[in-house]
């Protein structure tokens, strides 16, 4: 998420409505691609740093397979002496691989064989990496510009439409070339090419004392088209933790939910985008499989239109149509009215997603918690209307100073119902603890959906909140002490979904034979410490409150093998139904339903001389036998 510092903005541009419509129609669909580039110089001081870098990429591979298998991931080794072909050698036939570079994996969707191939490579990398890849000569320095050109070519020829492409360079060398060399200037020229291609470049230092000043500060600012003064050196350890965290992507997805225009007044609007504060749990899609070979059952939906004759109700005409060719038909007075799906879509799609400013209220007018719908986060976007970041920041700072919130009408997507929302300005809380997840929430507006009449329930509290259930002041004070002693610092951004953790651990164990330990809430709660805190309050608890009476347990059912009677009745023998007194006994006890359909047919034919069709139901046979038996008793 790029910063919206006003110093990074250009100048104001007054565009017409037509230009704004064209800008808002930009295509934001596509796949995410991440290309890892590992510097072979990591092996110069031993294999520790190289193995650590490969372990980070290993977690990213597993994350990509579990979270979203549609994304593309690749791996390239730079500054190598040899350039062995990848396992899929035909994938680099149209790509010029320069010297001192080796493509281990071109950009591909991650599958189980690809991850297994990487794990097999990691098992032998400590012994075979030096001989198979080696280190470039002399001084382990290859051409940085050729490496960037290779990465650009791999991203452009991946065969998929990309929306967010990243090049992640893992190294521990401060500068690839001397500042006075021609290779240094050629490398900086490639940064401009990256900015034109809209490919992001990231450096992951493998040492904490990494220096950006010699080369990478200027290279990154050129690739992102920002000023060098606005560049802030990130913490190297936090970058490694963020890249290694396989839960980061599914909890904090970078792609926004939508782009829209925020209209502040006549001829004044800005382009913004909104995000989720959390990522919903994505469980695997349920499918039906055939038992004999576990193949997936494919279903096909067909819509048939039939025309019936009004008198005979016979089908006169039948044809198959598509979903978009359907229609709504109803009677308007004496005439039928038919509306096609195209007309319905036109009526529903009269307005594009937007937000309209209605007014301002004081912060105290909004309750702290509203349970009607989860909140979203709004952020500016300069790609559609230039100057939106500057205007957004001015509005945000003014609302913070005056403790104001914005009341607006928000239509999140096409064909949706507009909702009244409150825009609450939020600010990042500076924390001394270096936890990268706490730094992911930025400055902006929180979109709070205001409740309507249908969202408010009236609950009668008289059933439990009455004088009969009230406690004394001494008991209330006692539990206030217990609550204070058991209070914890709950940080939901540090806790992963336990059910999703358990599911993904089982998937890894079955597919890749990888055992993972998921502690879930164990890291948050220390039960032994909690027991010690409230240990001294146990005597007071026993004095104030009555002894708990455990409810009586239900007696378990006895096993028929131990002599207990079984709940199931014995089956009726075919010889028994030949006796008419036994049949009368079944009728009197209303137990004819214990007989099968074939036995009921035998009873009718043997004792009453009646034979019903084989298609007769069991209820019909029982009813007929009871009627014949009653008629026979009446005649006698």
């Amino acid at each position: 998420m790029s910063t919206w510092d006003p110093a990074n903005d250009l100048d104001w541009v007054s565009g017409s409505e037509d230009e704004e419509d064209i800008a808002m129609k930009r295509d934001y669909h596509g796949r995410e691609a991440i290309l890892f580039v590992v510097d072979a110089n990591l092996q110069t001081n031993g294999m520790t740093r190289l193995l650590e870098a490969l372990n980070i990429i290993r977690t990213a591979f597993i994350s990509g397979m579990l979270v979203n298998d549609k994304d593309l991931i690749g791996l390239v080794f730079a500054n190598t002496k040899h350039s062995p072909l990848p396992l899929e050698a035909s994938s680099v036939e149209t790509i010029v691989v320069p010297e001192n570079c080796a493509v281990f994996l071109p950009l591909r969707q991650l599958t189980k064989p690809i991850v297994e191939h990487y794990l097999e490579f990691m098992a032998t990398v400590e012994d075979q990496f030096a001989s198979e890849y080696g280190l470039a000569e002399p001084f382990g320095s290859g051409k940085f510009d050729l490496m960037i050109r290779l990465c650009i070519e791999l991203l452009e020829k991946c065969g998929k439409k990309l929306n967010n492409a990243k090049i992640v360079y893992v190294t521990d060398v401060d500068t690839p070339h001397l500042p006075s060399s021609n290779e240094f200037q050629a490398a900086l020229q490639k940064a401009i090419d990256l900015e034109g291609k809209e490919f992001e470049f990231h450096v992951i230092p493998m040492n904490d004392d990494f220096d950006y000043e010699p080369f990478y500060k200027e290279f990154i600012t050129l690739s992102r088209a920002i000023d060098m003064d606005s560049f802030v050196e990130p913490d190297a350890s936090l970058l490694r933790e963020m890249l290694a965290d396989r839960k980061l992507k599914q909890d904090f997805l970078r792609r926004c939910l939508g782009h829209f225009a925020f209209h502040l007044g006549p001829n004044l609007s800005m382009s913004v985008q909104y995000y989720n504060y959390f990522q919903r749990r994505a469980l695997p899609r349920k499918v039906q499989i055939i038992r004999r070979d576990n193949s997936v059952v494919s279903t096909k939906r067909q819509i048939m239109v039939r025309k019936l004759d009004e008198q005979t109700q016979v089908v006169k005409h039948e044809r198959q149509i598509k979903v978009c060719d359907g229609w709504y038909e109803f009677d308007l007075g004496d005439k039928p009215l038919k509306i096609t799906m195209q007309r319905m879509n036109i009526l529903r799609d009269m307005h594009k997603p937007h937000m309209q400013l209605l007014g301002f209220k004081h912060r105290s007018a909004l309750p702290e918690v509203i349970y009607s719908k989860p909140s979203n986060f709004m952020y500016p976007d300069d790609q559609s209307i230039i100057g939106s970041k500057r205007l957004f920041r001015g509005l945000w700072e003014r609302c913070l100073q005056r403790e104001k919130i914005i009341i607006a009408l928000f239509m999140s997507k096409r064909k949706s119902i507009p909702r009244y929302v409150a825009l609450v300005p939020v600010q990042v809380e500076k924390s001394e603890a270096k936890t990268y997840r706490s730094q992911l929430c930025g400055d902006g507006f929180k979109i709070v959906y205001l409740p309507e009449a249908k969202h408010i329930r009236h609950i009668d509290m008289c059933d439990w909140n009455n004088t009969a259930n009230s406690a004394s002041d001494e008991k209330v004070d006692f539990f206030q002490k217990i609550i204070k002693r058991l209070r914890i610092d709950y940080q939901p951004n540090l806790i992963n979904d336990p059910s999703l953790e358990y599911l993904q651990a089982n998937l890894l164990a079955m597919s890749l034979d990888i055992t993972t330990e998921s502690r879930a809430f164990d890291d948050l709660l220390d039960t032994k410490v909690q027991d010690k805190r409230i240990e001294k309050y146990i005597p007071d608890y026993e004095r104030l409150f009555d002894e708990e009476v455990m409810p009586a347990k239900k007696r378990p059912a006895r096993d028929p093998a131990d002599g207990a009677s079984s709940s199931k009745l014995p089956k009726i023998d075919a010889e028994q139904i030949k006796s008419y007194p036994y049949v009368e006994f079944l009728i009197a006890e209303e137990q004819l339903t214990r007989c099968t359909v074939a036995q009921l047919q035998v009873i009718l034919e043997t004792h009453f001389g009646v034979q019903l069709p084989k298609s007769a139901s069991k209820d019909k046979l029982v009813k007929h036998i009871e009627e014949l038996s009653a008629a026979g008793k009446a005649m006698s």
Side-chain angles (χ1 to χ4, degrees), residues 426-439:
V426 292
Q427 192 174 13
V428 177
E429 296 181 0
K430 296 182 179 180
S431 176
E432 297 180 358
K434 291 185 177 181
T435 56
Y436 62 90
R437 288 201 172 198
S438 62
Q439 299 177 359

Side-chain angles (χ1 to χ4, degrees), residues 152 155-156 165 190-200:
I152 294 175
L155 291 170
E156 290 179 341
K190 283 298 175 183
I192 303 175
D193 297 343
L194 283 176
E195 192 272 333
K197 300 289 184 181
E198 296 185 355
F199 296 152
E200 297 182 14

Side-chain angles (χ1 to χ4, degrees), residues 530-545:
Q530 289 183 336
D531 293 341
K532 291 182 180 179
R533 287 179 179 176
I534 63 174
E535 186 176 359
K536 61 181 180 179
Y537 297 104
I538 299 299
D540 295 337
Y541 174 79
E542 295 176 351
R543 178 179 57 84
L544 292 174
F545 298 92

Side-chain angles (χ1 to χ4, degrees), residues 332-367:
L332 185 62
D334 298 335
K335 296 182 180 180
L337 182 61
K338 183 192 232 182
I339 301 179
T340 61
M341 295 297 295
Q342 288 82 0
R343 292 179 179 270
M344 290 294 297
N345 290 332
I346 292 174
L347 291 175
R348 294 171 179 171
D349 201 12
M350 294 182 65
H351 301 284
K352 59 185 180 181
H354 69 284
M355 181 181 288
Q356 181 68 46
L357 174 66
L358 300 180
F360 297 86
K361 295 283 289 185
H362 194 267
R363 179 66 181 83
S364 59
L366 185 70

Side-chain angles (χ1 to χ4, degrees), residues 48 78 85 186 220 409 427 430 442 459 551 607:
T48 305
L85 293 175
I220 293 175
L409 189 64
Q427 192 174 13
K430 296 182 179 180
I459 303 174
H607 302 291

Side-chain angles (χ1 to χ4, degrees), residues 222-355:
L222 285 175
S223 64
R224 300 178 184 177
I226 60 176
D227 296 334
M228 293 185 66
D229 296 337
S230 61
F231 177 77
V232 179
E233 292 188 7
D235 189 282
S237 60
L238 292 182
L239 287 178
R240 292 195 295 270
E241 291 179 11
M242 190 179 300
L243 187 63
D245 188 359
R246 67 185 180 92
K247 299 296 179 187
L248 176 66
K249 182 184 172 185
Q250 68 185 17
D251 293 338
F252 303 93
L253 196 63
R254 180 176 180 188
R255 295 176 185 172
C256 66
L257 299 177
H259 299 69
F260 58 91
F262 186 12
H263 300 287
L264 303 177
N267 301 324
L268 180 59
S269 60
M270 58 182 172
S271 60
V272 292
Q273 50 194 340
Y274 72 106
Y275 298 80
N276 262 341
Y277 270 107
F278 62 93
Q279 180 65 16
R280 291 186 177 180
R281 180 178 62 185
L283 295 177
R285 184 172 60 91
K286 295 181 179 180
V287 296
Q288 294 180 343
I289 60 176
I290 300 176
R291 179 180 296 179
R292 64 174 182 271
D293 56 357
N294 290 341
S295 59
V296 179
V297 178
S298 59
T299 59
K300 184 178 181 181
R301 181 181 178 185
Q302 292 183 351
I303 302 177
M304 305 299 296
V305 177
R306 298 181 179 90
K307 185 177 182 180
L308 302 179
D309 190 281
E310 296 181 356
Q311 298 179 355
T312 61
Q313 297 297 319
V314 179
V315 178
K316 297 175 59 177
H317 179 67
E318 184 179 9
R319 62 189 176 93
Q320 181 180 348
I321 65 171
K322 298 180 180 179
V323 178
C324 58
D325 295 334
W327 65 86
Y328 293 92
E329 187 172 352
F330 55 91
D331 294 332
L332 185 62
D334 298 335
K335 296 182 180 180
L337 182 61
K338 183 192 232 182
I339 301 179
T340 61
M341 295 297 295
Q342 288 82 0
R343 292 179 179 270
M344 290 294 297
N345 290 332
I346 292 174
L347 291 175
R348 294 171 179 171
D349 201 12
M350 294 182 65
H351 301 284
K352 59 185 180 181
H354 69 284
M355 181 181 288

Side-chain angles (χ1 to χ4, degrees), residues 399-446:
C399 290
L400 277 179
Q401 292 174 1
R402 297 196 172 188
E403 297 184 356
K404 296 287 186 179
I405 61 174
I406 301 174
I407 307 298
L409 189 64
F410 180 35
M411 185 175 178
S412 59
K413 56 185 179 180
R414 294 182 182 271
K415 304 179 185 179
S416 64
I417 300 175
R419 291 285 302 270
Y420 289 99
V421 297
L423 304 182
V424 182
V426 292
Q427 192 174 13
V428 177
E429 296 181 0
K430 296 182 179 180
S431 176
E432 297 180 358
K434 291 185 177 181
T435 56
Y436 62 90
R437 288 201 172 198
S438 62
Q439 299 177 359
L440 294 175
C441 299
D443 300 333
F445 283 99
K446 181 171 69 171

